[in-house]
Structure formats: structure tokens, C-alpha cells
Amino acid sequence: MDVNHFGAGFTLTRPVEVGRLIQLTIPLPHQLRCFDHTAPVYSVWSLVCHAAAIPRAPHQDATLFRVGVGFVGKAPPHSYEEDPTVRYELLPIKVGQNSMWKLGQRPLANQRRETRLIIPLEVLVETPDENGKPSMQENTVTETISSLGACIPTSLNVTVGRVLKISSRSDRVSTFAAIRSRKVAPDGIARLGLEFIGERWPLQRD
């Protein structure tokens, strides 16, 4: 782990989304703390500012993720307690010895950044466990897709805010996506609105 007064960088075995709040508990040196200077460990709420998959080594079973966070305080904001799926962004601060990052809620997009196309594409959807290995998986077909996201029918018991792994053998693509919406259609089957994390889906064909 790399750490300083304002944040930390570390490796995880499961994906986490930029803009999410997470709670870290680490044995941080007292000179790097803003509170609880004499406690044996430092428990601080942090905002995920960067997350990227690390290329998998030949002997590696699961994908690892490099994550960078900014420390934001001893307790989460009230808006997080009301809705843990809220995403945040860091606000500019005046840097000082005891400064911590301030939070602002990310504005919701009023419209899609890119039109989704009606393309039925066979995909494998997996839910990573705490070790990064699939805990549930399902083969399904996209109803709409763009380079930024997709809509898929599913029978998986997953909620908004969770990160999934989605793969296509025909497109030779494997990436991660955050669940932005989950709605049950009149046919009784749930539809997930997904936003791809990090990489765009390559819709262009040579």
C-alpha cells in the first residue's frame, strides 16, 4: 500500500467503482492522521478516485485491481446513509496540515452520452466474490448496447451499484460494468442497465 496524508493506493481482488465511498481500516502512522491519533488502527471513509484492472499474469487465477482513494473523514455524509448507491466527486480544498478532501455528489446525467443500438449479443455475466472469483454467472443476450453500456435481461439476484464482469466470446471482450438500474419488465424478467467501467466496448468492426 502507498499512503500519505490525503489518500492511499492499493490492490484489491474485486472491482470497485470510481465515485464510491468505502471505509478503510489501516495501521496508519499518527503523523499522517487527522483524527484518532492514539487509536491502534485508523478507520477512515475514503472516496474511490481511480480503479483499473491489472493485466493478469499467466499463473494468476483472478484479476487484480489497482485502486486510488482520497480520505474524506471519520463518518460518511448523511446522503450516503440515506442512499449508499450515491456517487461522489472530490471538491477543491485549501491544503493544510490537517486538511481532508471534501465531497460533492456527482450530477446525474439527464440523457445518454451515446445512443444504444439494438444488437443481440451473447454475453456471459459474472458476479465476483471477495476473492475476485465468480460467485454467480449467467449466459444472456444484450437487448441494446453502446460502447459505454448495455441493457441485459437477467435472473441474477443483484442490486443497483454492484459491479459485474461481462464477457463476449464472439467480440473477444471481457470487461467490468456497474449496475445503474434494475427494472422488472411486464414479462416478469428483470432488465439491468449497465455502464462499462474503464474500457469502452469495441463496437467498431474492421
Side-chain angles (χ1 to χ4, degrees):
M1 172 181 283
D2 301 319
V3 64
N4 60 28
H5 186 83
F6 297 102
F10 47 87
T11 301
L12 292 179
T13 57
R14 61 186 301 178
V16 62
E17 187 185 7
V18 171
R20 295 294 181 192
L21 281 177
I22 60 176
Q23 188 176 26
L24 296 182
T25 301
I26 52 178
L28 194 67
H30 68 87
Q31 63 268 26
L32 296 180
R33 303 185 184 193
C34 288
F35 54 86
D36 291 346
H37 297 279
T38 59
V41 293
Y42 190 58
S43 184
V44 57
W45 284 88
S46 309
L47 182 72
V48 178
C49 303
H50 169 79
I54 301 172
R56 187 186 300 184
H59 63 279
Q60 191 175 318
D61 293 333
T63 302
L64 296 177
F65 301 86
R66 183 65 181 175
V67 177
V69 302
F71 298 150
V72 298
K74 188 173 182 177
H78 293 300
S79 56
Y80 175 83
E81 296 176 349
E82 295 172 355
D83 182 6
T85 66
V86 171
R87 291 192 296 165
Y88 298 89
E89 59 187 3
L90 296 180
L91 300 178
I93 60 171
K94 184 177 181 180
V95 177
Q97 185 176 358
N98 293 315
S99 298
M100 301 194 81
W101 293 105
K102 304 299 182 183
L103 287 178
Q105 288 191 30
R106 282 195 173 191
L108 296 175
N110 294 325
Q111 60 183 15
R112 297 193 189 281
R113 291 175 291 166
E114 188 175 291
T115 301
R116 289 188 180 175
L117 306 176
I118 302 175
I119 300 177
L121 180 66
E122 293 183 0
V123 293
L124 172 65
V125 179
E126 301 170 287
T127 59
D129 62 14
E130 62 274 7
N131 297 314
K133 297 182 179 180
S135 60
M136 296 185 292
Q137 61 181 24
E138 178 183 49
N139 289 291
T140 186
V141 177
T142 61
E143 293 186 338
T144 61
I145 189 170
S146 72
S147 68
L148 300 174
C151 176
I152 61 169
T154 185
S155 62
L156 296 178
N157 183 21
V158 290
T159 56
V160 172
R162 186 158 187 179
V163 176
L164 307 175
K165 183 177 182 180
I166 180 169
S167 307
S168 167
R169 180 176 296 180
S170 61
D171 278 9
R172 298 180 180 179
V173 175
S174 182
T175 189
F176 293 88
I179 301 175
R180 291 282 174 253
S181 65
R182 184 183 188 276
K183 298 180 180 179
V184 178
D187 60 7
I189 300 175
R191 264 67 174 182
L192 300 181
L194 304 178
E195 180 181 353
F196 301 134
I197 299 175
E199 299 179 1
R200 289 176 174 245
W201 196 277
L203 292 177
Q204 299 295 330
R205 300 292 189 271
D206 295 332

